Amino acid sequence: MKITDIKVHMMQVPLVRPFRISLGVITHAVSCLVEIETDTGITGYGEGSPGPLITGENMPGTVETLKVFREKLIGMDPRDIEAVNAVMNRAVAYAGTAKAAVDIACHDILGKDSGLALYKLLGGLSNTIETDMTVGIDAPEIMAAHAKEHIKAGFRVIKTKVGTDITEDLARVKAIREAVGDDVKIRLDANQGWNAREAVELLKRLNEYDIELVEQPVRRFDFEGLKYVTANSPVPVMADESCWDSRDALHLVSERAVDFINIKLMKCGGLWEAKKIVNIAEAAGVEIMLGCMAEESGIAINAAAALGAALGNITRADLDASFSLKKLPYEGGFTIENTKDLVLSEAPGLGLSRLKEEMFQ
């Protein structure tokens, strides 16, 4: 089997409501669909969703990077995923979003060629993964109302954004806990919004609200600060922006700098690299959460959900981006049960049955 063409289509889907984090505001899912065509008639689909606030990438740059990959990859066997990733890594440094789009499409082809659903191809532990639901930054009473709506709908875990103002953060978490009751898990995500010392002091105060974990309390490059928070916080600490790839994961777990790691396919460059992070973390006894970019349309969510369901050391999921979209650009893939459970398709690969071409540019 050989790659004969790689096509890129841009899409922009409005969110149900603007989504604010400590780094800025997101109003649309801006993403690109990648189609990898082969000489056997099998086409694989992938998605690259550049997140300027997190990865520093944008759509024009991602599209140009994909053009470079097209020149390098035509003629290669897309099932040789290690080789495909090696070629991309030699051609362009970083650029996780473009690499993830190609990597996901190659895995889709591998699944279709083998007749296996992607979750089976990746490990097959389960076909279902439960996601939390995220509340963006707003006034405490509005965030509490949104959290209560999500719990009423059937979610059991709320992830709430914090990190803009310490006093407001305290009020936000207090309001959410009072709104959802004692049986709901609450996760915090500061998106690098605090420094190490204020993070520890604030988490000591927030701990009375029974917080499951806090994600990325300090700047991504502040390794010593992250390690300090982990050593002194009563709330377990998760790395997100501080862990981009398997090398970062090795550094973090070898120094016991975090309690958990959040993998996003757009950061690490796809499923192939993500599996390396999972293996390193598992060997160190560090559990994984599968996350997503708010800008993802859902195609990449299908891939992440497949990985999360397939492997045992992925114990948590924050794969709620699809719930925030006014419409989806595809049919098929996972289905939703009990509001919160993503049930993977049994069809080969990602299991997408139709792309809504009218939504692509």
Side-chain angles (χ1 to χ4, degrees):
M1 182 186 295
K2 295 185 184 300
I3 296 173
T4 56
D5 200 4
I6 298 177
K7 296 179 179 178
V8 181
H9 311 278
M10 292 178 286
M11 51 190 167
Q12 180 170 291
V13 183
L15 304 186
V16 174
R17 61 170 67 100
F19 183 68
R20 184 185 176 204
I21 65 176
S22 64
L23 299 172
V25 180
I26 300 163
T27 59
H28 290 74
V30 179
S31 191
C32 61
L33 166 74
V34 167
E35 292 183 88
I36 296 184
E37 297 179 347
T38 67
D39 60 355
T40 65
I42 295 176
T43 298
Y45 301 109
E47 180 183 12
S49 181
L53 299 178
I54 302 296
T55 67
E57 299 170 286
N58 58 27
M59 184 60 72
T62 297
V63 170
E64 290 301 313
T65 301
L66 287 166
K67 290 179 181 178
V68 173
F69 292 159
R70 181 182 182 276
E71 294 177 2
K72 302 288 186 181
L73 297 177
I74 285 179
M76 290 188 66
D77 190 329
R79 300 168 300 181
D80 297 337
I81 297 179
E82 174 85 17
V84 168
N85 275 274
V87 168
M88 291 194 294
N89 289 335
R90 284 196 299 269
V92 178
Y94 310 111
T97 295
K99 291 174 182 176
V102 172
D103 174 272
I104 292 168
C106 287
H107 278 87
D108 190 28
I109 290 170
L110 185 58
K112 289 173 178 176
D113 184 58
S114 64
L116 291 175
L118 186 55
Y119 81 88
K120 289 184 178 291
L121 197 67
L122 294 172
L125 177 67
S126 173
N127 71 338
T128 305
I129 188 166
E130 178 184 348
T131 183
D132 61 21
M133 190 63 182
T134 305
V135 175
I137 290 176
D138 212 316
E141 63 275 14
I142 294 175
M143 293 175 70
H146 289 165
K148 192 171 183 178
E149 288 175 10
H150 297 321
I151 298 304
K152 186 177 180 180
F155 290 96
R156 301 190 302 179
V157 184
I158 293 295
K159 175 178 167 180
T160 182
K161 296 291 187 176
V162 289
T164 59
D165 177 88
I166 291 177
T167 301
E168 283 289 295
D169 286 341
L170 284 165
R172 289 165 179 145
V173 177
K174 180 177 184 292
I176 290 172
R177 174 55 76 196
E178 291 175 349
V180 301
D182 297 333
D183 296 332
V184 173
K185 290 182 180 179
I186 296 178
R187 300 168 182 164
L188 307 183
D189 186 0
N191 283 115
Q192 312 176 59
W194 303 322
N195 65 49
R197 291 191 178 277
E198 69 184 10
V200 170
E201 292 305 311
L202 183 55
L203 290 168
K204 287 178 180 177
R205 298 172 68 181
L206 289 172
N207 191 44
E208 69 174 285
Y209 302 114
D210 189 21
I211 304 304
E212 181 194 20
L213 58 87
V214 60
E215 190 176 335
Q216 200 61 46
V218 299
R219 299 292 289 175
R220 69 173 183 85
F221 48 75
D222 186 8
F223 176 80
E224 291 302 323
L226 186 63
K227 188 174 179 179
Y228 173 83
V229 176
T230 300
N232 293 280
S233 168
V235 177
V237 176
M238 174 180 287
D240 180 2
E241 290 93 334
S242 289
C243 185
W244 286 65
D245 56 24
S246 54
R247 295 175 183 83
D248 289 337
L250 181 61
H251 186 206
L252 290 166
V253 302
S254 64
E255 294 289 330
R256 296 293 174 184
V258 292
D259 301 297
F260 305 101
I261 290 174
N262 183 355
I263 295 175
K264 290 188 175 77
L265 300 184
M266 299 303 127
K267 285 188 306 177
C268 70
L271 295 163
W272 198 250
E273 183 68 16
K275 288 190 293 182
K276 295 179 184 179
I277 298 173
V278 175
N279 292 338
I280 288 170
E282 184 173 20
V286 173
E287 295 176 3
I288 295 292
M289 181 166 83
L290 242 297
C292 61
M293 298 295 185
E295 298 91 342
E296 291 178 28
S297 79
I299 296 172
I301 299 293
N302 273 276
L307 180 65
L311 300 178
N313 197 48
I314 300 176
T315 57
R316 294 164 176 81
D318 176 36
L319 298 175
D320 56 354
S322 296
F323 294 97
S324 300
L325 303 181
K326 289 188 175 180
K327 53 185 176 180
L328 294 175
Y330 63 91
E331 293 177 358
F334 64 75
T335 56
I336 299 169
E337 294 184 2
N338 305 314
T339 302
K340 58 188 172 42
D341 297 324
L342 310 184
V343 181
L344 281 305
S345 171
E346 297 297 331
L350 290 170
L352 305 182
S353 58
R354 187 179 81 88
L355 299 176
K356 300 177 183 177
E357 296 181 4
E358 66 273 13
M359 296 180 63
F360 302 129
Q361 302 174 16

